[in-house]
């Protein structure tokens, strides 16, 4: 049996931009963006979400009944919570630089990137073979952490992964491998599209292999336009 996971990135809160660090409600624009994707999800779908206000509002706007999953919570930014990226970079440039370059750094006394990656990997590894298809609404940091594990790449690549609002990452687990595909939910199309190359990656252990993907059948109702 295989496991099909769709990670949907909630709008806002991406530390590569300049929002408030930590949890915050969606802006009006964020709500509109999330609501515009409602038509592409056909319930019933098993769904979970990070326990943040942002992810709860995103799931509601999409029309998903999503259970809160603590292991998928956003990275803990400790004493930086409630400050903007620009403020932190200006007042603690050394700490901010360390956070972006060293996956073990936690200058805010919160959670390091490596700790987040380990927590996210633990959740992925806990999936039972009969899990089926699950949609997870999470913050950008968790999407990055999931990709780190699935692609078996070093944690230091974390900040080099581009995760736009409402991007979708598809993971399919079969025979010890994660098939990975990235895209963006588009409510304007009438069919699913995968425009870029696909690959399957060994996601557990030190080895990784790349092979062509064939016969992709994850989330047939969702309309995907590749962004990279």
């Amino acid at each position: 049996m295989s496991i099909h996971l769709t990670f949907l990135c909630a709008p806002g809160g991406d530390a590569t931009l300049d929002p408030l660090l930590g949890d915050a409600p969606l802006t009006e624009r964020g709500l509109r963006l999330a609501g515009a994707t409602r038509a592409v999800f056909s319930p019933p779908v098993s769904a979970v979400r990070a326990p943040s206000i942002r992810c709860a509002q995103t799931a509601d706007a999409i029309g998903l009944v999503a259970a809160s999953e603590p292991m998928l919570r956003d990275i803990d930014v400790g004493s930086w919570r409630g400050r903007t990226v620009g403020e932190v970079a200006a007042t603690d440039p050394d700490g901010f630089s360390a956070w972006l370059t060293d996956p073990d750094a936690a200058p805010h006394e919160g959670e390091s990137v490596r700790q987040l990656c380990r927590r996210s990997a633990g959740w992925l590894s806990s999936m039972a073979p009969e899990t089926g298809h699950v949609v997870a609404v999470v913050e950008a940091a968790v999407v990055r952490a999931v990709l780190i594990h699935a692609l078996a790449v070093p944690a230091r690549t974390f900040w080099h992964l581009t995760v736009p609002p409402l991007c979708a990452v598809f993971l399919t687990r079969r025979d010890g491998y994660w098939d990975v595909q990235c895209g963006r939910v588009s409510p304007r199309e009438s069919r699913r599209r995968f425009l870029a190359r696909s690959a399957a990656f060994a996601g557990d252990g030190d080895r990784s292999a790349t092979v062509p993907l064939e016969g992709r059948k994850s989330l047939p109702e969702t309309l995907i336009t590749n962004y990279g």
Side-chain angles (χ1 to χ4, degrees):
M1 298 181 69
S2 59
I3 302 170
H4 301 276
L5 304 175
T6 299
F7 289 88
L8 185 66
C9 180
D14 188 346
T16 60
L17 305 175
D18 194 27
L20 288 175
L21 293 169
D23 192 16
L26 295 182
T27 63
E28 290 186 9
R29 181 175 182 274
L31 285 169
R32 287 196 304 272
L33 286 172
T37 68
R38 174 185 284 263
V40 305
F41 285 94
S42 281
V45 170
S46 179
V48 295
R49 62 169 176 83
S52 62
I53 296 172
R54 178 187 298 115
C55 289
Q57 288 181 323
T58 301
D60 288 345
I62 293 172
L64 293 175
V65 179
S68 178
E69 173 50 66
M71 288 188 71
L72 294 178
R73 65 189 182 276
D74 198 8
I75 189 168
D76 181 3
V77 293
S79 61
W80 292 353
R81 190 178 298 110
R83 303 171 65 187
T84 69
V85 169
E87 289 171 344
V88 171
T91 59
D92 186 8
D94 292 339
F96 188 68
S97 177
W99 191 47
L100 296 182
T101 56
D102 180 359
D104 293 306
H108 41 55
E109 299 182 344
E111 188 175 31
S112 71
V113 164
R114 194 180 305 278
Q115 287 172 324
L116 168 65
C117 291
R118 286 172 177 166
R119 167 161 57 83
S120 302
W123 186 81
L124 285 175
S125 299
S126 72
M127 296 289 97
E130 64 274 12
T131 295
H133 180 214
V134 177
V135 174
V137 181
V138 297
E139 274 89 3
V142 175
V143 177
R144 290 189 183 95
V146 164
L147 286 171
I148 291 292
H149 177 71
L151 303 178
V153 296
R156 66 177 177 273
T157 64
F158 181 87
W159 294 113
H160 298 284
L161 299 171
T162 300
V163 183
L166 294 174
C167 79
V169 171
F170 302 89
L171 268 61
T172 300
R173 177 79 172 177
R174 58 169 72 90
D175 299 327
Y177 290 83
W178 285 112
D179 291 352
V180 179
Q181 184 134 22
C182 301
R184 179 176 294 178
V185 178
S186 168
R188 295 185 299 276
E189 304 288 337
S190 60
R191 60 189 176 88
R192 186 183 61 173
R193 292 192 293 143
F194 294 108
L195 301 183
R197 59 188 179 275
S198 303
F201 298 86
D204 289 337
D206 296 329
R207 296 179 300 107
S208 64
T210 305
V211 297
L213 258 179
E214 297 179 0
R216 179 75 182 180
K217 297 183 182 298
S218 176
L219 195 58
E221 300 85 6
T222 300
L223 319 173
I224 302 301
T225 302
N226 187 274
Y227 63 82

